[in-house]
């Protein structure tokens, strides 16, 4: 048997949710079944992505995973075991006993503070499904590793459906529109200085579910209404409306964290300054030119249109002056425009705040989801 016959090589992107996932429904803790639907944008795999190669082998005793050059302890990583077990339960009989030799790498800068679990588990799941020839939905499998990973399976704007079934088979992601539908939308991430968070999102969301008085209304009515409204805004390419809904949902998540017992705070003073700055800029422009969203962390993710991005960056630099060596842009022509752009006087002192700098500023267009790459790009050298 040629082990190369059973191999796969995959790149997967990160995704940024603008309608948030926060909390697992009762009985869905292990399978990662959310209390509500969520909506996200998939980023390009350039510059940041997870890449995974899998080769099925009969000459090793156990499954092996090498992540960023180090051997992982699969036996004590419940979510990886869960993913592997599900694949084997749904693959051809003759492949069940072969061992998976997995090599994976993330190329995120250490300082970026960006979660690689979504892209990592998505790349792993897509590679395993192909190598094991398994009859499994990639997004559903990725969800077993990390909830948000299911949304990285597809490009463009993606919905993660909470599903109703106890076994989670209908809790999958689907593509709402692909990356070519609204290519003008750009994503930026301002990586802000901050402490390592002391409450993981996994435990934080369950604490909110138990104690925040705002969670039940969010689950019962708020998210469904917002999903419908933002779907329409995307279809109409109405950026003003899209940004308003995005910022409102982000603010709601902050408020849910604030009303959780004990209180959870992921945002830093820089985070709150970014919120005030973007709101002030939009007010000055008379419409939403940029929208913000925050995950369970300090970093500010921003959405804007390509035509407005240089002006937005100039405004940001007037308040958070950062060296261009700390810019990681997918689009070099856009970066060159930003380097030339200067903020007019009325955009230079929108908030009263110290002139801190970003750790880095990242830019990405809407991207295409999972990409299977050629054998020549394998991370495994046999």
């Amino acid at each position: 048997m040629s082990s190369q016959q059973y191999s796969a090589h995959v790149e997967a992107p990160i995704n940024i949710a603008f309608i948030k996932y926060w909390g697992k429904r009762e009985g869905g803790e292990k399978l990662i079944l959310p209390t509500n639907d969520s909506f996200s944008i998939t980023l390009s795999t350039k510059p940041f992505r997870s890449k995974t190669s899998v080769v099925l082998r009969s000459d090793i005793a156990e499954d092996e995973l090498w992540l960023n050059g180090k051997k992982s302890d699969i036996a004590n990583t419940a979510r990886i075991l869960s993913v592997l077990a599900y694949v084997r339960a749904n693959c051809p009989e003759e492949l069940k006993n072969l061992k998976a030799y997995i090599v994976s790498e993330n190329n995120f800068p250490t300082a970026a503070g960006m979660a690689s679990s979504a892209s990592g588990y998505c790349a792993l799941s897509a590679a395993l499904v192909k190598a094991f020839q398994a009859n499994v939905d990639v997004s559903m499998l990725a969800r077993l590793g990390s909830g948000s990973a299911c949304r990285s399976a597809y490009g463009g704007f993606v919905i993660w459906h909470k599903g109703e079934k106890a076994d989670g088979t209908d809790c999958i992601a689907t593509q709402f529109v692909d990356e070519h539908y609204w290519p003008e939308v750009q994503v930026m991430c301002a990586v802000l200085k901050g402490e390592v968070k002391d409450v993981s999102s996994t435990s934080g969301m369950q604490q909110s579910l138990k104690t925040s008085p705002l969670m039940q209304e969010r689950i019962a009515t708020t998210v469904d209404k917002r999903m419908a409204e933002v779907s329409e805004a995307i279809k109409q390419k109405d950026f003003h409306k899209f940004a308003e809904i995005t910022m409102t949902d982000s603010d709601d998540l902050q408020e849910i964290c604030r009303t959780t017992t004990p209180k959870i705070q992921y945002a830093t003073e820089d985070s709150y300054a970014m919120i005030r700055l973007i709101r002030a800029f939009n007010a000055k422009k008379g419409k939403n030119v940029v929208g913000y969203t925050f995950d369970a962390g300090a970093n500010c993710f921003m959405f804007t249109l390509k035509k407005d991005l240089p002006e937005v960056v100039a405004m940001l630099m007037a308040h958070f002056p950062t060296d261009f060596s700390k810019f990681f842009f997918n689009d070099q022509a856009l970066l060159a425009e930003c380097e030339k752009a200067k903020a007019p006087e009325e955009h230079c002192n929108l908030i009263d705040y110290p002139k801190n700098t970003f750790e880095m500023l990242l830019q990405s267009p809407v991207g295409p989801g999972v990409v299977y790459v050629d054998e020549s790009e394998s991370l495994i050298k046999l």
Side-chain angles (χ1 to χ4, degrees), residues 20 22 74 81 169 177 193 232 235 274 276 289-290 297 302 308 311 339 353 368 375:
K20 304 295 190 185
W22 196 248
I74 291 183
L81 292 175
T169 50
V177 290
K193 292 183 174 68
E232 194 56 34
K235 272 195 256 180
M274 287 292 289
R276 294 196 303 276
V289 174
V290 57
M302 291 166 278
D308 297 320
E311 180 186 34
E339 287 176 340
Y353 192 71
E375 191 77 47

Side-chain angles (χ1 to χ4, degrees), residues 301-341:
F301 292 92
M302 291 166 278
F303 305 112
T304 191
L305 297 176
K306 190 173 183 179
K307 68 181 176 59
D308 297 320
L309 189 140
E311 180 186 34
V312 170
V313 169
M315 176 274 295
L316 293 173
M317 290 306 97
H319 297 84
F320 288 82
T322 302
D323 193 89
F324 283 107
S325 65
K326 294 184 176 180
F327 283 43
F328 291 83
F329 271 44
N330 169 281
D331 187 328
Q332 293 308 301
L334 204 50
L335 176 57
E337 279 187 63
C338 291
E339 287 176 340
K340 282 186 264 184

Side-chain angles (χ1 to χ4, degrees), residues 10-14 45-53 65-70 72 80 102-125 146 149 152 379:
V10 174
E11 286 186 351
I14 57 176
T45 51
K46 295 176 180 62
F48 303 129
R49 50 98 183 114
S50 295
K51 187 174 181 181
T52 298
S53 288
L65 168 60
W66 293 79
L67 176 59
N68 294 333
K70 292 181 182 165
S72 292
I80 294 175
I102 308 159
V103 177
S104 191
E105 63 171 35
N106 303 315
N107 68 346
F108 303 85
T110 310
M114 297 178 76
S116 58
S117 58
S119 55
Y121 273 108
C122 185
L124 173 67
S125 299
S146 170
S152 284
L379 296 174

Side-chain angles (χ1 to χ4, degrees), residues 15-254:
N15 69 80
I16 305 303
F18 48 88
I19 304 291
K20 304 295 190 185
Y21 149 54
W22 196 248
K24 303 176 188 74
R25 67 180 193 245
E26 198 171 340
E29 289 84 5
K30 187 170 183 294
L31 293 175
I32 312 185
L33 305 177
T35 58
N36 58 265
D37 293 352
S38 59
F39 218 141
S40 62
I41 287 183
T42 300
L43 274 57
S44 167
T45 51
K46 295 176 180 62
F48 303 129
R49 50 98 183 114
S50 295
K51 187 174 181 181
T52 298
S53 288
V54 173
V55 173
L56 305 189
R57 294 168 59 167
S58 55
D59 60 343
I60 54 175
E62 300 293 340
D63 296 319
E64 279 186 39
L65 168 60
W66 293 79
L67 176 59
N68 294 333
K70 292 181 182 165
K71 190 173 184 182
S72 292
D73 182 8
I74 291 183
N76 288 306
T77 312
R79 290 184 174 190
I80 294 175
L81 292 175
S82 180
V83 168
L84 283 162
Y86 200 94
V87 166
R88 285 199 169 95
N90 292 277
C91 77
E93 202 61 41
E94 65 272 17
L95 302 185
K96 286 189 195 300
N97 293 323
L98 292 177
K99 301 303 176 190
Y101 186 79
I102 308 159
V103 177
S104 191
E105 63 171 35
N106 303 315
N107 68 346
F108 303 85
T110 310
M114 297 178 76
S116 58
S117 58
S119 55
Y121 273 108
C122 185
L124 173 67
S125 299
L128 288 171
V129 165
K130 187 174 182 194
F132 275 101
Q133 300 172 15
N135 183 25
V136 178
D137 181 290
V138 168
S139 77
M140 200 206 76
L141 184 66
R143 190 199 75 233
L144 297 178
S146 170
S148 59
C150 71
R151 298 186 305 241
S152 284
Y154 301 102
F157 290 74
V158 178
I159 296 174
W160 174 12
H161 305 272
K162 67 178 180 181
E164 303 297 337
K165 296 179 182 175
D167 66 0
T169 50
D170 60 346
C171 182
I172 57 170
T174 59
Q175 186 177 68
F176 181 67
V177 290
D178 70 17
E179 66 273 23
H180 306 296
Y181 182 79
W182 200 6
E184 295 83 4
V185 174
Q186 304 288 305
V187 184
M188 288 191 290
C189 177
V191 179
L192 304 168
K193 292 183 174 68
E195 302 303 307
V196 174
K197 57 190 183 188
D198 54 2
V199 181
S200 75
S201 55
T202 303
S203 60
M205 62 176 68
Q206 292 313 97
Q207 199 58 29
S208 293
L209 196 56
K210 289 189 196 121
T211 64
S212 171
L214 306 176
M215 277 296 281
Q216 290 314 311
E217 188 180 354
R218 179 175 174 79
I219 293 165
T221 59
T222 305
V223 169
D224 287 348
K225 182 167 174 283
R226 232 167 246 165
M227 291 288 289
E229 287 173 353
V230 86
S231 296
E232 194 56 34
I234 293 164
K235 272 195 256 180
Q236 301 296 331
K237 301 183 182 177
D238 181 344
F239 186 82
H240 173 82
K241 188 77 187 292
F242 169 76
E244 194 56 47
I245 297 166
T246 293
M247 293 186 286
T248 301
D249 200 71
S250 180
D251 291 349
D252 277 5
L253 181 58
Q254 302 270 2

